[in-house]
Amino acid sequence: GRPRRVGPFDVVASRYGVRVQGADEIALTKMDVLSYLDKIPVCTAYEIDGEKVYEFPVGEALGKAKPVIEYVDGWKCDISRCRRVQDLPKAALDYIHYLEKAVGCRITYVSVGAERDQYLVM
């Protein structure tokens, strides 16, 4: 019954997570929640003491880190009924491919709604 909300996708933390876990594929969840946005925020780096950092900071540096946000185009339509990759709007596919490239890991599953059957296999 809670609202489904999301913040910016964190490329830096996701890239670190993929590396330390040895992941070769990931799932992207809650894409439908982004459907109303004109521009979708993505954290592409952190700023620490005035310097952009592209690697995940550890220790004391993490407490100083401020996200650097870039924006990608939104798709401005409901994607919750999509069940095949080709059903997604081009801007949604562009977002998925952008994240795959930025994180360096294949996105295999994409959820487009809260229900168990609301996902795509890429």
Side-chain angles (χ1 to χ4, degrees), residues 51-114:
E51 182 181 335
K52 273 190 185 179
V53 176
Y54 297 92
E55 292 296 322
F56 191 76
V58 294
E60 190 177 299
L62 184 57
K64 297 179 182 182
K66 295 181 177 122
V68 174
I69 305 295
E70 295 182 14
Y71 293 86
V72 297
D73 291 334
W75 43 92
K76 296 292 290 179
C77 66
D78 180 17
I79 61 170
S80 64
R81 296 193 198 291
C82 296
R83 293 298 177 274
R84 300 173 307 157
V85 174
Q86 56 266 39
D87 295 339
L88 288 172
K90 181 183 182 312
L93 285 170
D94 291 346
Y95 175 70
I96 293 166
H97 296 309
Y98 170 80
L99 295 180
E100 282 181 321
K101 184 176 180 182
V103 172
C105 189
R106 183 170 181 256
I107 294 173
T108 305
Y109 299 99
V110 175
S111 78
V112 293

